[in-house]
Amino acid sequence: GAVVSQHPSWVICKSGTSVKIECRSLDFQATTMFWYRQFPKQSLMLMATSNEGSKATYEQGVEKDKFLINHASLTLSTLTVTSAHPEDSSFYICSAISSYEQYFGPGTRLTVT
Amino acid sequence: QKEVEQNSGPLSVPEGAIASLNCTYSDRGSQSFFWYRQYSGKSPELIMFIYSNGDKEDGRFTAQLNKASQYVSLLIRDSQPSDSATYLCAVNLGRGADGLTFGKGTHLIIQP
């Protein structure tokens, strides 16, 4: 099956700083990628849809100025959490579509201190 | 608002028995239905997807869909301890590239 990678797998940052998370499709091209967030003991919540060459589409309640998404190529989407706060600590997971199936990356655990 | 409901469990099943996981969804426009398995601290991995009413079998797994009742289930036959995980039901409207709406998941425990 298709492989999606994320980097870093975990990151710790101080409150007020920004963190960038990369999502790559390794063996296929993805015009669309998705970013999800999962808090402990909660389900995955779709944050935004990332489209190559155009602006991302954010779900209701997700601040687009805080969670910057850039889909610069057919194999790379980045999520930047700006001015991170402790409440942004979560498990961030990206996914990409290949042959109508969604494949998930391994996730990035963000801890904001 | 799209909602996907699952019993959070835990659901405890003896090894070798059939585990039955259930899911209901609110949006009648939903077209595609997925079951994912998630181990603690890991991202979800796809087990099965189903688009049409009825049953779909893949090895020890059977997905069942009833669009009239807005109900989808997953049966795991000959349950193994390695099947112990959280099982997430997910749906989307099937309009090209849509993100998935997930349920909160059912925590399944297979007792040796």
Side-chain angles (χ1 to χ4, degrees):
Chain A
V3 179
V4 177
S5 70
Q6 281 185 243
H7 178 80
S9 55
W10 59 271
V11 58
I12 301 173
C13 71
K14 292 186 176 180
S15 186
T17 62
S18 295
V19 174
K20 179 184 285 188
I21 302 170
E22 294 185 348
C23 176
R24 294 182 184 273
S25 56
L26 297 185
D27 49 1
F28 66 101
Q29 294 183 330
T31 56
T32 302
M33 292 183 175
F34 302 96
W35 287 97
Y36 295 84
R37 179 169 56 181
Q38 186 177 34
F39 292 108
K41 299 192 183 301
Q42 299 294 315
S43 191
L44 280 77
M45 295 295 294
L46 179 65
M47 298 176 65
T49 302
S50 172
N51 300 296
E52 188 269 336
S54 63
K55 291 183 178 180
T57 303
Y58 291 82
E59 295 299 302
Q60 189 174 3
V62 178
E63 301 175 57
K64 61 180 182 181
D65 294 329
K66 180 172 181 62
F67 298 99
L68 302 180
I69 292 172
N70 183 20
H71 197 148
S73 75
L74 288 172
T75 59
L76 174 64
S77 175
T78 61
L79 169 68
T80 301
V81 183
T82 63
S83 186
H85 289 102
E87 57 264 32
D88 297 323
S89 298
S90 187
F91 192 41
Y92 291 85
I93 308 172
C94 73
S95 71
I97 291 179
S98 175
S99 301
Y100 307 106
E101 292 186 25
Q102 250 185 74
Y103 294 89
F104 285 85
T108 297
R109 188 161 303 280
L110 169 64
T111 302
V112 184
T113 61
Chain B
Q1 183 175 354
K2 295 180 286 186
E3 291 184 353
V4 178
E5 300 288 340
Q6 294 181 257
N7 188 323
S8 62
L11 174 64
S12 186
V13 174
E15 183 176 357
I18 296 175
S20 178
L21 304 163
N22 304 314
C23 170
T24 59
Y25 58 95
S26 63
D27 193 328
R28 284 195 170 275
S30 300
Q31 297 291 325
S32 309
F33 307 87
F34 304 83
W35 282 101
Y36 287 85
R37 177 172 60 197
Q38 186 177 29
Y39 294 110
S40 181
K42 303 295 184 182
S43 68
E45 53 179 320
L46 180 66
I47 298 175
M48 291 189 69
F49 60 88
I50 185 168
Y51 301 142
S52 303
N53 276 329
D55 296 358
K56 180 181 179 182
E57 186 175 320
D58 183 1
R60 295 187 297 113
F61 300 95
T62 299
Q64 300 174 316
L65 175 62
N66 184 327
K67 290 187 177 181
S69 300
Q70 295 176 241
Y71 175 91
V72 58
S73 65
L74 178 70
L75 300 177
I76 306 174
R77 289 181 298 281
D78 189 23
S79 299
Q80 303 297 311
S82 58
D83 294 326
S84 298
T86 296
Y87 288 79
L88 303 172
C89 173
V91 305
N92 75 8
L93 293 178
R95 298 178 305 196
D98 277 341
L100 297 176
T101 300
F102 282 86
K104 289 187 176 181
T106 297
H107 183 203
L108 175 65
I109 299 172
I110 305 301
Q111 296 179 324

